Amino acid sequence: MNSNIENKFGSVIYDKLNTVRMSASERQAAINAMRDADTIVDAILWVTRKIEQVGAFLFMKPSIKH
């Protein structure tokens, strides 16, 4: 298991996955699903921040804009 992924999600989740009775392929599928969900959330947060930045730039007061 990749330690970077484990640190990112927290070891509690991985401990729970390791205690659940499932096959290795099911366990890997669960880990992959968590990784995919985390990637989607990161992408949504990135887009949200970019929209906020563009909105702040567009609606800045004219006296402050250079």
Side-chain angles (χ1 to χ4, degrees):
M1 216 179 292
N2 189 349
S3 63
N4 290 336
I5 294 173
E6 186 173 340
N7 288 336
K8 191 170 190 176
F9 287 115
S11 61
V12 173
I13 294 172
Y14 283 95
D15 290 342
K16 291 287 185 184
L17 274 177
N18 288 329
T19 59
V20 174
R21 287 184 6 171
M22 62 174 73
S23 68
S25 61
E26 290 173 333
R27 184 170 284 113
Q28 189 60 44
I31 291 170
N32 289 341
M34 287 190 331
R35 186 185 64 229
D36 293 346
D38 186 54
T39 302
I40 291 169
V41 169
D42 285 345
I44 290 170
L45 289 174
W46 182 84
V47 169
T48 302
R49 287 186 198 116
K50 291 300 174 185
I51 290 172
E52 288 174 351
Q53 289 174 354
V54 169
F57 177 75
L58 291 176
F59 298 110
M60 198 181 301
K61 291 183 179 180
S63 61
I64 298 174
K65 200 186 259 186
H66 289 72

